[in-house]
Each structure stands twice: as structure tokens, then as C-alpha cells.
Amino acid sequence: MTEKFYYDNKIVRNFAVATIVWGIIGMSIGLLIATQLFAPSMNLGNQYTTFGRIRPLHTNAVIFAFVGNAIFMGVYYSLQRLLKARMFSDVLSKVHFWGWQLVIVATVITLPLGFTTSHEYAEMEWPIDIGITLIWVVFGINMFGTIIKRREKHMYVAIWFYIATFVTVAVLHIVNSIQLPISAFKSYYLFAGVQDALVQWWYGHNAVAFFLTTPYLGMMYYFLPKMANRPIYSYKLSILHFWSLIFIYIWAGPHHLLYTSLPSWAQSLGVAFSVMLIAPSWGGMINGLLTLRGAWDKVREDATLKFMVVGLTAYGMATFEGPMLAFKQINAIAHYTDWIVAHVHVGALGWNGFLTFAILYWLIPRIYRTTLYSKKLANFHFWTGTLGIIFYAVPLYFAGFTQGLMWKEFTEEGILRYPNFLETLIQILPMYVLRSIGGALYLVGVIVMTYNLIKTAKAGKLLADEPAEALPLPETYVAVGSDKKLHRVLERKPMVFLVLSLIVILIGGGVEMMPTFTIESNIPTIASVKPYTPLELHGRDVYIKEGCVNCHSQMIRPFRSETERYGEYSKAGEFVYDHPHLWGSKRTGPDLQRLGNKYSNAWHYNHMLDPQTMSPGSIMPAYDWLVLQELDTTTTIAKINAMRTLGVPYAEGYEHQANKDLDIQAKAIALDLQQNNVKVKSDREIIALIAYLQRLGTDIKAK
Amino acid sequence: MFRQFLEQVDDKNIYLITSLGIFLGFFILVGVFLLVMKKEEVNYMSQLPLTEEEDKI
């Protein structure tokens, strides 16, 4: 007796709308910050739209709002059909949808206000982190509820990818969000320095793996066969792909920290696994592309398949480049440059973007029971999108190579050929202009798609509840024949599957994280490294709030080209009080680790107020509001107490002395400024920032 | 967090050798899975996305 039931298309439609809306917003912010890199005045003259604050908004909007909603759209559509069941609970679906949008709105409000943790791709402060956790659990319950009440005994490979995504993102998010709150919107990470950096990049790298990759692979394994109307090229390869990908990916994080103060064996482990990653990645790409064998005539006509082919190719390019960039020799040149920015955008624009567009073009006409409004516009979107990616990536590759090599070039006499950092930046500014043209082209394509899809939706009518029927599963399952085999059993047991995936990712994560927790004994402690003074601590928080870390690293690698330019290379022991670490991943401006005592207080003051007067040609925006805004010293006690809890050796009771010390140090700086013809009150944020900048790297600096 | 029980292990090489063991074991296991899979199972599973009829447009 077959059962009748209905697929929930409305929730799929809602996530599709959210995908498009947030996609346009996220990409527009991307375009805005891209123009700021050659025209600093594009920060619109205020702190809320300045690069340091809205670059994280761009990354988070694209990752969690655009890609996140697209994932839920794809999962909610394919999961119901693969399991022959409606989603477990309509209420949970709604809570999931609106909860996720709420998290995004909270992010859009708080990041420009300067509430940031500074962990890349996880900048949201602790209340939002908790919100994400709750919504993620709702998603998990809804997904597993559906799996449990399914009418198809065996779980298709796409669902394994969804399960792995759910469980791994949960683990990553929780471990990376262990913070000690000191107020409603400020917290400090539990770990400091090297440990914090490792946790952050274990998270950061695996966010790429399990948020931007595995759910999309699951969607590829479902939607590509549907679009091409033929089964996946090799199902066996998809099994190998799944297990090897989730097993290997989780180890690769340390390749973001090559030549840093991270112990070298952890770096090597990261390199080895990164290189191995090419096998499962390309296995998956080849599996996708070969699914189209014999169907290439369709690719010529069908814009949906065109998007899939270029998306898969972009995935192949990005996953070839990843292992290459993980080689220390290549990384030495590429790290901190625009090469990395180009690399991630090939993945984001090509792989995530194009797969999302393909699925939207395929899915919207189906749930609206109509055909696509205009194939011509879809083809136009395809070509502007493809050109956009090329115009985006190629100039940045060029910029990355150029700047990376310029930083390293010595004259025959053995001195730096380009000792002024700014020279290397001005050289690549034309590339930044070209890049923003590429980004604009890509965005135009998305807007055309939006128009096309709205027209499509208007021509049809949403089939909110799509009727379907299937046989229910028997009460007790009797395995016959090959169903008794081990993996067949696994495919029937979602909870066992969940636990197994969890174990697989914890093995890699665990072995890699072990050094994080043992490292303290490995770090040669440096007696001269002392905790920050209260004023410096506040200054550090101003540095965090303004997002300085987005353009300035604090990690000098042990190369002659870097020690010549910046000074003594960074030691692990220097960062033991840094909650969080501020090593950075990109040098749009120079490294700041040894900035302390390099310039006068007045230089810093003038430079923050108008960077171009001190460094002609600089693209740094002015930070004039730091002179106007008073430093909030009411949090000093909470900050000192929190730091002590985290292991920073402030004496008991020091929190009551702290503001007095702060005042003395601030007045001394203000006095020094006054002697240099700068009049500023000692209670301003800029004083704290100057105190912090003057402290940077001085603990072990030769006097 | 896990420091207390790691400090009791003097020879940290054990982790590296264990990782290698886990790694090899893992891939041998997946390999065995794949080798024993029957053709009809493979066909059945790979047809799963294509079994619905209603959304052919």
C-alpha cells in the first residue's frame, strides 16, 4: 500500500530567495571594499563602512548568508526527494529559516559597529555564536528527523556529505568559539598566540572544507545526475571520494601557518595532508565531469549544465592550486599576497557561485511549474560570470606574484631592492582596478539572473506542497543478499553513520590539535615578555575593533627578506598573552610586529589622522574618529579579570589599580604629543592605540 | 585541556606512528568496502536521484 505525502517546496523557495538577496548584498559589499583598495575615499568617510570593519562583513555574508542559504535550499530540496519523505517538521523548517536570517541580520549590524572577535571567517561575537549553534542544532534535528522517518532505506551518497557537513561544522564552530565574555558584545578567546592561531586555522581551513565544499559536493551528486538525466559516472568513486575527503581535509589546516611560530612538525603534517588532498578532490571533480560523458551536446545548449561544467572546473583548479600553495617554497612567495585572494575567489565565484546559479536555474522553474523565462539571459549571465571570474582572478594572480617577488628581491650589494613597502603596493594598484571590474561583471550577471528568475516565478505558480507517493518502509527490515554487506548496513543506519563520520574527522582534528594543548611546554618562554599595560590592552582592543588585522600581519617569517625589512623574526614565546592572536593572513600594508619605538608618537598620531601626509600614495583610510572618541575605561576591571582567568599573570587586586596606571601612561603620551605640537586629550581612543602600537614587538627588541 | 594526560607520555613519536597506522588502516578498510560491493548495489544506489518521475519538465 503506497503512502501519499507532500514535499515542502515553500521552504526551498524561501531559502532560494534568501540566497539571492544575501548574494547580491554580500557581493556588493565585496565590490565596495575592492574599490577602497585603490580609492581610500570609498570608505565613505565614516568608521562603519571602512575596510577593516566591512571586509569581515563581506566574507561572512558570502560564506554564511549566500552560500549558507544555498546549502539549505539544496539540502531541503534533495533530502526530501532522496528519502521520499517531507521534512521532519514544518515548524523546525521555519525556525531554521528565520533563525538563520536573524543570525545574518545580527552580523550585518554588529560587524560594522566594531563588535568583532577578529578570528577570520568567525568574527561574530559570542551571542551570535550561540545563535548559530542553536540554529545549527535545529537544522540537525530537522535533517535527522527526516532521515529517520524516510521511505527509502538506503542513503544516497549526497546525504552522507550532508551528515558530514552537519557534524563537522558543529565541532568546528564550537571549538573555535570558546570565548570568555566580558560584556554583551566583547569576549576573549580561551587560547592565546600559537594555540589560538592553530585553532583558528584548523577552523578556517575546515570551514572551507565542510561549509564550502562537502555540502556542495552532496548537491553536485544529486543535481548533476538530475540535470544531465543520467546516473553519476562512478558510484564506487563517490564512496572513495567521500571517505577520503573527510578524512584527509581535517588535517590540512596548518598550511595556513607555514614559516610562522607554529612548531615545524605540525606544519609538515599540514603540508603532507594538503598535498594528498588533491587525490579525493580531483576524484570528485572527475566523477562529476565524466557524468556528462555522452551528454556534451546538452552542455552546448543548456546554460544550467554550462554553469556546472565551469563550476566543477573551477573546483578542480582551486583544489590543484591548494596543494601547490601548501608547498613551503611556493607558500613563501604567495603567503600574505593577493595570490591567496585570487585562489579563494576561484573557489567562491567559480565553484560555490556557479553551482548555486545552476541549481537556481534548474530548481525555480520546477517548483513554480513553468519553464525558465529567458534562456538567452541565462547564457548572458553565464558569460558575464565567467568573464567576471577571469577578470577577477588573473590580475590578482599577477599582483600576488609581482608583490611576493618584489618583497624578496635584493640588490647585488645585498640590500632590499624595494625597502619601502609602499613601492610594492603602488606597483599592483592597476591590478586592483581590474579586479573590481571583474567583480562588477560578476555582480551584473547575478542581477540579470535575479530578473530572469523573478520573471520565471511570475509566469508560474509555486507548488508549495508537491504530491508524491512511495511505499512505507517495513516495520522490521530483513536484509537479503548483498544488503548484509558492511557498507550496505551503514547506508541504512544514519546514526551509526553520524558517529563514524564524527570519529573520522576527530582523528585528524585530534592528532593535529594535540600539539595545541601540549605546546605550552614546547614554547621556550621568554622572561622579558610581560603582559600588556591596561592602556595597551585597551589599545589592542581598538586595533581589533577597527579590523587592522585585515591588512596588517604581526608575524615575521624567518627569511632574510623579512628580517631586513621588519626586524627580528617572530618567536612563539612572544604571543603567550595574546588573546586572541593577531597574526593576520594578508599584507595589504606592512607587517607591524616590530613597529614599537620605530616612529614617534606624533608620527603615529598624524599617520592615523591622515595616512597620505606621512606615506604619500598610501591606500590606508584615515581614522580621524579615534581622536574624537573617548576610550571606554569602565571595562578595564572586567578585562583585567578576564585576562587573569585566562592565565595572564596580573597580580591579584591589580584590576583596581589598573585605571590609575592607564591614566598615568595616557597622560605621558598626551604630554609627549603636546611637546610635538599635537594637542589631544589623554582620554581618547587614539592614545590607547598609540600605546599599543609602541609596545608591539618591543619585549625582545634589541635596545 | 588535554595537557594533563599528554604530559604523562614521554615519547610523542607514538602519535606520529599511530597516525600512520590509522591512515593506512582507514584506506585499506575503504578499499575493502569498494572491492566487495556488488554491481547491482552500485546500480541501485546510483539510480536513486533519478527515480522520481514527477519533476520531469
Side-chain angles (χ1 to χ4, degrees):
Chain A
M1 183 63 189
T2 55
E3 285 179 348
K4 280 192 193 303
F5 56 94
Y6 296 90
Y7 294 132
D8 184 357
N9 279 345
K10 201 174 166 191
I11 189 71
V12 177
R13 192 273 316 264
N14 290 351
F15 276 119
V17 172
T19 303
I20 297 170
V21 171
W22 290 120
I24 292 175
I25 295 174
M27 290 172 206
S28 303
I29 300 169
L31 188 56
L32 176 65
I33 58 175
T35 56
Q36 290 178 359
L37 286 178
F38 55 83
S41 60
M42 286 302 288
N43 75 345
L44 312 178
N46 75 80
Q47 52 189 315
Y48 310 109
T49 43
T50 290
F51 189 91
R53 295 209 192 166
I54 59 168
R55 187 262 181 183
L57 184 60
H58 163 62
T59 52
N60 285 300
V62 168
I63 297 172
F64 298 106
F66 170 62
V67 170
N69 278 307
I71 292 170
F72 301 136
M73 166 186 75
V75 170
Y76 275 55
Y77 186 88
S78 59
L79 193 72
Q80 298 187 78
R81 283 156 179 85
L82 283 170
L83 298 174
K84 301 201 170 29
R86 191 183 173 88
M87 287 310 296
F88 172 62
S89 154
D90 286 2
V91 174
L92 287 184
S93 297
K94 279 194 187 116
V95 172
H96 177 195
F97 176 77
W98 289 109
W100 195 254
Q101 311 316 316
L102 188 69
V103 161
I104 297 167
V105 170
T107 304
V108 172
I109 295 169
T110 54
L111 288 181
L113 289 175
F115 300 122
T116 171
T117 64
S118 89
H119 264 200
E120 229 175 321
Y121 316 124
E123 283 91 346
M124 291 77 96
E125 264 296 353
W126 66 274
I128 301 179
D129 284 343
I130 292 173
I132 294 172
T133 312
L134 293 177
I135 300 302
W136 198 253
V137 170
V138 168
F139 166 52
I141 295 171
N142 211 8
M143 178 163 78
F144 278 94
T146 315
I147 293 175
I148 285 163
K149 64 164 207 178
R150 69 196 185 277
R151 295 187 181 81
E152 164 58 55
K153 196 72 206 173
H154 294 281
M155 292 187 298
Y156 182 64
V157 67
I159 300 171
W160 314 355
F161 277 103
Y162 300 156
I163 294 177
T165 301
F166 168 73
V167 69
T168 315
V169 170
V171 172
L172 293 168
H173 174 67
I174 291 168
V175 175
N176 187 49
S177 302
I178 307 176
Q179 292 139 301
L180 183 63
I182 63 151
S183 69
F185 280 102
K186 176 74 191 166
S187 63
Y188 292 118
Y189 282 106
L190 178 63
F191 304 110
V194 178
Q195 294 152 312
D196 189 52
L198 185 52
V199 170
Q200 130 95 80
W201 284 112
W202 167 79
Y203 162 86
H205 181 74
N206 289 304
V208 173
F210 289 90
F211 207 85
L212 300 176
T213 308
T214 55
Y216 270 69
L217 287 170
M219 279 145 70
M220 176 198 85
Y221 276 120
Y222 176 79
F223 287 101
L224 189 61
K226 299 287 276 189
M227 291 169 185
N229 199 23
R230 59 194 60 226
I232 194 74
Y233 169 67
S234 165
Y235 194 76
K236 279 193 179 185
L237 183 55
S238 74
I239 296 179
L240 184 63
H241 178 202
F242 172 78
W243 286 111
S244 46
L245 191 87
I246 68 163
F247 182 68
I248 296 177
Y249 232 129
I250 203 90
W251 303 65
H255 69 212
H256 290 262
L257 298 169
L258 298 182
Y259 290 112
T260 66
S261 308
L262 186 74
S264 66
W265 76 269
Q267 295 185 27
S268 303
L269 197 64
V271 172
F273 277 86
S274 304
V275 173
M276 279 190 273
L277 252 181
I278 197 170
S281 304
W282 274 46
M285 172 194 66
I286 289 167
N287 210 358
L289 287 178
L290 286 184
T291 301
L292 296 170
R293 78 203 179 288
W296 286 94
D297 53 314
K298 280 189 189 173
V299 178
R300 218 169 32 201
E301 284 154 18
D302 188 351
T304 314
L305 284 175
K306 283 184 201 170
F307 275 112
M308 288 304 272
V309 169
V310 173
L312 275 163
T313 311
Y315 176 62
M317 291 196 302
T319 54
F320 170 75
E321 200 184 13
M324 295 303 117
L325 285 170
F327 281 117
K328 282 188 131 181
Q329 293 83 345
I330 299 176
N331 194 276
I333 298 169
H335 194 47
Y336 295 131
T337 73
D338 289 294
W339 190 340
I340 309 302
V341 184
H343 168 64
V344 298
H345 279 85
V346 168
L349 301 174
W351 166 243
N352 295 111
F354 271 30
L355 248 69
T356 305
F357 306 148
I359 292 169
L360 282 167
Y361 280 125
W362 186 86
L363 193 147
I364 296 291
R366 273 171 180 73
I367 59 176
Y368 277 90
R369 317 313 279 178
T370 181
T371 48
L372 190 64
Y373 168 68
S374 165
K375 282 185 181 170
K376 230 178 188 169
L377 285 181
N379 273 311
F380 175 78
H381 176 199
F382 171 75
W383 285 109
T384 44
T386 307
L387 278 176
I389 296 173
I390 294 168
F391 268 97
Y392 188 101
V394 174
L396 281 196
Y397 281 127
F398 191 79
F401 280 125
T402 307
Q403 204 180 23
L405 292 172
M406 283 175 94
W407 286 344
K408 286 189 171 297
E409 195 172 335
F410 282 93
T411 62
E412 275 174 29
E413 292 77 27
I415 55 166
L416 286 170
R417 184 171 295 279
Y418 306 101
N420 184 358
F421 184 93
L422 207 48
E423 264 183 287
T424 71
L425 178 71
I426 289 167
Q427 184 74 24
I428 60 170
L429 286 185
M431 300 298 125
Y432 284 174
V433 178
L434 282 176
R435 176 264 291 271
S436 60
I437 293 173
L441 269 176
Y442 192 88
L443 183 59
V444 165
V446 175
I447 291 166
V448 170
M449 174 192 76
T450 309
Y451 171 75
N452 201 356
L453 291 179
I454 290 173
K455 281 291 205 185
T456 307
K458 282 203 167 147
K461 190 175 183 310
L462 177 69
L463 185 64
D465 297 294
E466 184 176 323
E469 49 186 62
L471 282 169
L473 290 179
E475 288 280 310
T476 48
Y477 184 79
V478 187
V480 286
S482 64
D483 280 351
K484 289 177 187 156
K485 291 274 167 53
L486 198 48
H487 209 277
R488 294 295 276 171
V489 174
L490 258 185
E491 285 158 7
R492 295 196 305 268
K493 297 201 179 305
M495 288 304 164
V496 179
F497 209 97
L498 171 110
V499 173
L500 266 184
S501 327
L502 182 64
I503 292 171
V504 168
I505 61 125
L506 285 182
I507 291 171
V511 177
E512 190 184 84
M513 299 290 271
M514 287 303 179
T516 321
F517 302 113
T518 52
I519 232 159
E520 219 151 15
S521 57
N522 296 343
I523 295 176
T525 40
I526 304 171
S528 59
V529 174
K530 296 281 188 289
Y532 295 104
T533 68
L535 187 65
E536 290 158 4
L537 194 59
H538 276 290
R540 195 168 197 273
D541 285 335
V542 172
Y543 187 98
I544 290 172
K545 183 171 124 191
E546 298 302 340
C548 305
V549 71
N550 287 295
C551 291
H552 295 281
S553 59
Q554 288 187 22
M555 171 49 64
I556 302 165
R557 296 175 294 175
F559 299 134
R560 208 180 127 240
S561 59
E562 299 221 343
T563 52
E564 282 289 305
R565 186 183 298 279
Y566 302 118
E568 184 65 25
Y569 68 88
S570 306
K571 316 283 190 294
E574 289 184 79
F575 304 101
V576 290
Y577 304 130
D578 283 8
H579 298 269
H581 79 288
L582 292 171
W583 292 4
S585 64
K586 173 74 172 67
R587 284 181 186 154
T588 304
D591 187 280
L592 300 182
Q593 162 120 50
R594 304 271 173 241
L595 185 67
N597 295 339
K598 197 173 170 184
Y599 302 105
S600 67
N601 292 336
W603 186 93
H604 281 296
Y605 179 89
N606 291 323
H607 182 252
M608 295 305 296
L609 210 62
D610 187 2
Q612 283 73 29
T613 56
M614 307 312 284
S615 315
S618 165
I619 57 168
M620 185 166 132
Y623 285 83
D624 43 343
W625 54 86
L626 295 180
V627 180
L628 305 170
Q629 284 168 192
E630 270 181 43
L631 187 69
D632 176 16
T633 52
T634 58
T635 52
T636 311
I637 293 177
K639 284 182 181 181
I640 298 285
N641 284 341
M643 284 294 175
R644 192 189 298 111
T645 312
L646 297 173
V648 181
Y650 290 112
E652 279 301 328
Y654 180 68
E655 62 272 20
H656 301 298
Q657 172 69 29
N659 266 339
K660 283 177 205 146
D661 286 1
L662 183 148
D663 211 33
I664 295 168
Q665 195 183 1
K667 286 206 167 107
I669 293 172
L671 184 68
D672 175 71
L673 285 171
Q674 202 174 15
Q675 285 161 356
N676 289 285
N677 300 322
V678 175
K679 270 197 170 170
V680 61
K681 286 186 180 163
S682 66
D683 61 354
R684 300 297 144 126
E685 283 183 337
I686 194 149
I687 302 288
L689 184 64
I690 291 174
Y692 173 63
L693 293 177
Q694 293 291 29
R695 170 69 184 272
L696 277 175
T698 51
D699 282 345
I700 64 162
K701 205 171 183 176
K703 292 279 181 331
Chain B
M1 201 181 288
F2 300 127
R3 204 179 312 141
Q4 56 276 29
F5 53 80
L6 269 173
E7 267 170 0
Q8 292 156 10
V9 188
D10 286 333
D11 189 9
K12 299 256 178 6
N13 277 339
I14 190 80
Y15 289 109
L16 301 181
I17 292 162
T18 317
S19 349
L20 183 68
I22 294 168
F23 188 75
L24 283 176
F26 179 81
F27 278 96
I28 289 168
L29 212 66
V30 176
V32 170
F33 270 159
L34 291 173
L35 286 175
V36 301
M37 268 191 99
K38 288 256 166 54
K39 195 153 180 81
E40 60 263 33
E41 305 167 26
V42 174
N43 283 339
Y44 175 78
M45 292 300 288
S46 59
Q47 284 297 336
L48 277 180
L50 301 171
T51 48
E52 328 137 37
E53 292 301 315
E54 70 284 351
D55 59 4
K56 299 257 164 66
I57 284 178

